[in-house]
Amino acid sequence: MNLYVDKKFVNFLSGSLEKFAWKKENLANCRCPICGDSQSNPNKCRGYFFEKDGSYYYKCHNCGVSLSLYSFMEKVSPSLVAEYQLERYKSNQVKKPKRPKVKATGVGDMFGLFKKKYKETVNSQYLVPIESLDNDHPAVEFVTRRKIPTDKLHLLHYTDDFGSFSREMTGEPVEGKEPRIVLPFFDSEGNMVAAQGRALSLRSVTGSIDRSTEQTRKLLRYITIKSKDAPDRLWFGQWRANPDKKIYVVEGPIDSLFLDNCIAMVGASGFDNIPKHLRKSEGVYILDNEPRNKSICDLNKKLIDAGRNVCIWPSELKIKDINDMVIAGMTVKEIKKIIDNNTFSGLEALYRLNEWRKA
């Protein structure tokens, strides 16, 4: 009911907002009345109303102001505030029909009950949902170019000041203002406890660093930050994975967005330490397709020795990772079939690994 009331009052405000328009069902756009938006381009609209956690919020990508709908009305239309409070109060008094209790009888049932309760929450003044950005925004162009599935875009956020966001999360002083796409990590209560920032391009990274090695390039592309409440090992998407189904384990969070029931580990050294609630699940580890990379080969060997199922890519496939395969024109269905047909364990996995290293 609160969402209905909020949208109703956004429409009340629309008549006084310049260039106001609904872009999607729960996303509206206008020129920012707080900063006045662009002075040189009267058609520039960088103010957005968007839905999050059952309420509407306002964000301007010009001045950076981020407000609840209530706070926005206090600044722009204080005469509506009292009426808005009253309607929100009334909507919260409406009795909701009782749902029948569901008796949990197995792992799958418990997971279903957990998913109904679990809700991921991103609280940061420096992050905005990718879905709220204009189509010509560099972050939107990036996810479009990488062909990231549209049904996964709600998992991605953007910041134009990763340094300040990092300081907000970790409490540590961070220098530099840099735009990055942000992939949040959550705990079992749905609280954001860590995040990985992906640079839009290497050109956006400042500093006199030798960028000649692949390791340095990866460090420049990705920065991972953790709050004091974060676990030692970070697994992206672990609380969205159903333990009753096969778990696909990949190296990078972005690759994990393409496969169903897929999680990603940050830091290859923890690949053999699966989250406790997923340890009894059927799983397969899928490292990048780099037979000349000693670290990847050694890690595959370590996983095989530990009795894990691993994907050894076919020698004729020369593309590095899942995202690059999608960009090259392969369908997710084709990629999944290749993975399933090339998953091995034990002695056969060792044989396949040795053949793959020679390819």
Side-chain angles (χ1 to χ4, degrees), residues 39-303:
Q39 301 303 307
S40 59
N41 185 350
N43 293 317
K44 198 75 173 178
C45 301
R46 289 175 284 190
Y48 287 88
F49 294 93
F50 60 94
E51 184 269 331
K52 185 177 78 170
D53 298 335
S55 297
Y56 270 88
Y57 294 83
Y58 177 81
K59 171 74 176 180
C60 175
H61 298 309
N62 182 45
C63 63
V65 66
S66 181
L67 302 167
S68 66
L69 181 59
Y70 176 88
S71 298
F72 178 82
M73 286 195 295
E74 279 190 317
K75 291 181 177 294
V76 175
S77 186
S79 61
L80 282 176
V81 170
E83 185 180 352
Y84 172 71
Q85 284 181 303
L86 179 61
E87 290 223 21
R88 287 273 293 206
Y89 173 78
K90 288 180 178 178
S91 72
N92 288 331
Q93 304 309 302
V94 176
K95 292 185 178 179
K96 298 179 181 178
K98 292 183 179 179
R99 294 182 179 178
K101 293 182 178 180
V102 180
K103 185 178 179 181
T105 58
V107 176
D109 291 333
M110 290 301 294
F111 176 74
L113 293 173
F114 168 75
K115 290 298 291 182
K116 288 179 181 179
K117 180 181 178 182
Y118 177 71
K119 195 170 189 179
E120 294 172 344
T121 304
V122 175
N123 291 318
S124 172
Q125 61 178 313
Y126 298 103
L127 297 185
V128 296
I130 289 285
E131 292 180 310
S132 73
L133 302 175
D134 290 336
N135 289 336
D136 61 352
H137 191 281
V140 177
E141 292 177 351
F142 174 88
V143 299
T144 301
R145 188 170 64 251
R146 303 300 303 185
K147 296 187 177 181
I148 293 175
T150 55
D151 64 339
K152 300 294 177 60
L153 292 183
H154 67 283
L155 302 174
L156 305 177
H157 291 71
Y158 169 78
T159 179
D160 58 9
D161 188 355
F162 190 79
S164 293
F165 167 62
S166 179
R167 183 167 57 250
E168 176 189 55
M169 170 165 276
T170 67
E172 298 293 330
V174 178
E175 295 183 2
K177 180 177 181 179
E178 183 187 2
R180 282 183 179 262
I181 288 174
V182 176
L183 298 101
F185 293 70
F186 301 91
D187 62 16
S188 61
E189 301 299 320
N191 303 307
M192 183 171 64
V193 294
Q196 186 176 89
R198 208 289 185 186
L200 297 179
S201 70
L202 284 177
R203 290 191 299 273
S204 70
V205 182
T206 58
S208 56
I209 303 174
D210 177 12
R211 305 180 186 181
S212 59
T213 67
E214 180 63 22
Q215 182 181 11
T216 301
R217 290 178 183 274
K218 286 182 178 180
L219 289 173
L220 291 172
R221 277 202 301 267
Y222 296 99
I223 296 177
T224 303
I225 58 175
K226 299 165 63 174
S227 73
K228 60 180 177 60
D229 299 319
D232 291 336
R233 299 296 185 192
L234 293 178
W235 293 85
F236 181 79
Q238 64 165 310
W239 300 108
R240 290 188 293 272
N242 187 342
D244 226 15
K245 298 180 179 180
K246 180 190 288 187
I247 307 290
Y248 293 89
V249 186
V250 297
E251 285 195 65
I254 288 182
D255 276 347
S256 75
L257 300 176
F258 295 92
L259 298 177
D260 289 336
N261 222 44
C262 188
I263 65 176
M265 174 66 190
V266 176
S269 61
F271 252 107
D272 59 341
N273 187 20
I274 199 79
K276 184 177 180 180
H277 65 289
L278 301 178
R279 288 177 188 171
K280 294 183 179 180
S281 305
E282 179 187 1
V284 53
Y285 290 80
I286 309 156
L287 306 190
D288 286 351
N289 186 23
E290 296 183 89
R292 298 291 181 270
N293 187 316
K294 185 178 184 303
S295 296
I296 288 179
C297 291
D298 290 347
L299 182 53
N300 265 318
K301 173 67 163 53
K302 183 179 179 181
L303 289 167

Side-chain angles (χ1 to χ4, degrees), residues 3-37:
L3 188 61
Y4 169 80
V5 172
D6 278 15
K7 190 168 186 177
K8 176 181 176 180
F9 276 81
V10 171
N11 283 323
F12 282 164
L13 291 165
S14 64
S16 62
L17 299 175
E18 192 176 355
K19 301 284 185 181
F20 178 93
W22 285 100
K23 297 295 186 181
K24 298 179 182 177
E25 182 180 355
N26 290 330
L27 178 67
N29 179 223
C30 66
R31 283 177 63 80
C32 179
I34 295 174
C35 67
D37 223 304

Side-chain angles (χ1 to χ4, degrees), residues 342-354:
N342 291 274
T343 295
F344 308 102
S345 62
L347 293 176
E348 185 176 10
L350 287 174
Y351 170 78
R352 299 278 182 170
L353 176 63
N354 290 332

